[in-house]
Amino acid sequence: MRDRVVQAATKIVIEPIFEADFKECSHGFRPRRGATGALETIRLQGGRGHRYVVDADIKSYFDTIDQGNLMELVKRRISDRKVLKLLRKWLKAGVMEEGAVRETDLGSPQGGVISPLLANIYLDALDGIWERKCQDLGILVRYCDDFVVLCRTRARADEALRRLGIIMERLRLKLHPEKTRIVELTLGKGGFDFLGCRIRAGRSAFKGRTYVYRWPSQKAMKRVRKRIRDLTDRRRRAGMKDIRDVIADLNPVLRGWGNYFRTGNASLRFQKIDQYVHRRLTALMAKRGGDRRKPFRVRQWPHERFVKDHGLYRLLGTIRYPGAANAS
């Protein structure tokens, strides 16, 4: 705990120094920036003709950061020896393997408060090289170690991928050969997943124009369903007396998940999760038993009743678009 407090204090002091240099393309783990900004950039630029996307994945990024290179980058902006000594100590703390600590010259502190900042410092080199030498190929959008490059042509995307490989070698990193690929944001193509969202092109039923849409990915849907299933498990809720206790546990999960995805085209997925929650709650109440003279009837418990009478958080209707859609 003490170490985390010191890391947090150090981060507060040094973060503004590096923030002054971080590039516009970087969105992750930065003050007043986040995933929505990255996703909106993809939507807007995809709608403006950047239809070829290099979907990049760095192989084991946090485990392979070169600590020597990282400290050299830090020293460009930080000269205080005590701070440098602290950072070096955290980097050299090692990793836990089978109950034993193994020292390593690679990687950043696992789960450390300061790890995201150090990760951004390291990849700011990528941002800088791209801004100076490769911007004509495409637009870089990065969220910590997750990033894409949006290009106007397939040829530019191929060259962007080649350049990324060279930059990664310079940083002593590797692109994952199986997960890094070029995808198209055009009609009939499957799109790609980024920051928990499925992103693909589609035709508007109202205007007949092509837009870039996003909604919760299959993985995100499975994850929230599992969380709901765990919270409504009959064995966990054995002896339940009031369904409002279950709803009190569900609401923070639904609200947090919904707040993350509500800036996209998630209405249909929100409706599906609302329906899933309703099925789980009614099944839980039906199995609870009760007065045999007055058996439980599902039709007497529509979703609306849980919402109005028992305070269940409803996802449908919470969509908030951050800006007007841009079509090509």
Side-chain angles (χ1 to χ4, degrees):
M1 178 61 73
R2 185 182 301 171
D3 193 54
R4 292 181 67 83
V5 171
V6 176
Q7 283 194 28
T10 304
K11 179 175 178 287
I12 290 171
V13 173
I14 70 174
E15 185 174 54
I17 298 172
F18 290 100
E19 269 295 318
D21 292 334
F22 284 163
K23 311 301 183 291
E24 189 68 20
C25 64
S26 172
H27 297 267
F29 303 104
R30 295 182 58 191
R32 297 174 298 279
R33 297 175 74 84
T36 298
L39 292 165
E40 274 297 282
T41 301
I42 293 171
R43 181 181 70 84
L44 293 171
Q45 297 303 329
R48 292 169 181 164
H50 293 80
R51 299 291 191 179
Y52 294 87
V53 181
V54 180
D55 180 15
D57 183 276
I58 302 176
K59 189 174 182 179
S60 305
Y61 174 60
F62 283 92
D63 296 328
T64 57
I65 294 175
D66 187 287
Q67 295 174 2
N69 281 358
L70 175 57
M71 288 305 302
E72 289 301 315
L73 292 170
V74 171
K75 282 192 267 187
R76 292 180 184 179
R77 299 290 285 155
I78 303 292
S79 58
D80 188 287
R81 291 183 180 180
K82 292 181 180 179
V83 173
L84 292 173
K85 185 178 179 180
L86 264 178
L87 293 173
R88 196 173 288 109
K89 178 183 176 182
W90 287 324
L91 288 172
K92 296 294 183 182
V95 295
M96 185 72 72
E97 289 184 353
E98 299 180 355
V101 177
R102 178 177 62 82
E103 292 187 2
T104 176
D105 293 325
L106 300 175
S108 64
Q110 293 181 324
V113 176
I114 206 165
S115 289
L117 175 60
L118 296 178
N120 272 333
I121 292 170
Y122 200 75
L123 284 182
D124 185 61
L126 161 65
D127 302 342
I129 294 171
W130 197 266
E131 188 177 87
R132 293 190 306 271
K133 299 182 177 181
C134 308
Q135 209 167 28
D136 60 311
L137 293 175
I139 297 169
L140 175 66
V141 180
R142 185 174 67 80
Y143 189 96
C144 200
D145 62 319
D146 291 323
F147 65 94
V148 297
V149 179
L150 299 107
C151 307
R152 289 189 177 277
T153 66
R154 175 70 195 216
R156 289 184 182 182
D158 288 334
E159 178 61 17
L161 180 57
R162 189 186 73 83
R163 298 268 190 99
L164 285 172
I166 295 171
I167 297 170
M168 289 297 112
E169 284 184 13
R170 185 180 300 183
L171 295 175
R172 298 184 183 177
L173 299 169
K174 291 182 180 180
L175 292 175
H176 198 295
E178 296 174 2
K179 296 181 180 179
T180 300
R181 60 194 181 124
I182 295 174
V183 296
E184 292 184 44
L185 279 178
T186 53
L187 288 175
K189 302 296 182 180
F192 65 101
D193 289 348
F194 188 64
L195 301 181
C197 291
R198 188 66 179 175
I199 301 173
R200 64 178 297 179
R203 191 179 300 279
S204 169
F206 301 101
K207 297 183 179 181
R209 302 175 69 183
T210 300
Y211 292 84
V212 174
Y213 296 98
R214 69 173 181 267
W215 53 79
S217 66
Q218 287 187 5
K219 187 180 292 185
M221 294 288 284
K222 288 180 180 178
R223 189 178 296 121
V224 75
R225 281 196 182 102
K226 182 181 184 305
R227 186 71 181 122
I228 293 166
R229 191 163 58 247
D230 290 343
L231 291 173
T232 54
D233 183 75
R234 291 202 309 272
R235 289 168 294 183
R236 174 176 178 156
R237 298 296 177 177
M240 179 192 71
K241 295 181 179 180
D242 194 331
I243 195 65
R244 283 173 290 196
D245 294 337
V246 182
I247 290 172
D249 290 338
L250 282 172
N251 279 347
V253 174
L254 297 172
R255 187 176 288 109
W257 190 83
N259 285 345
Y260 181 83
F261 290 107
R262 69 177 185 167
T263 59
N265 311 91
S267 291
L268 180 59
R269 274 71 185 178
F270 278 14
Q271 184 179 40
K272 288 182 177 180
I273 296 302
D274 281 340
Q275 292 169 346
Y276 183 70
V277 169
H278 180 241
R279 290 198 301 271
R280 294 295 300 182
L281 289 176
T282 53
L284 191 61
M285 293 181 71
K287 295 294 183 180
R288 182 181 59 173
D291 190 346
R292 291 185 178 180
R293 294 170 298 177
K294 193 177 181 181
F296 177 81
R297 291 185 173 86
V298 173
R299 64 176 178 272
Q300 294 178 350
W301 284 87
H303 188 262
E304 190 71 15
R305 183 174 178 181
F306 286 108
V307 173
K308 287 189 174 181
D309 296 349
H310 294 78
L312 176 66
Y313 184 79
R314 175 163 49 196
L315 289 166
L316 192 63
T318 62
I319 299 294
R320 297 290 182 273
Y321 296 108
N326 245 344
S328 61

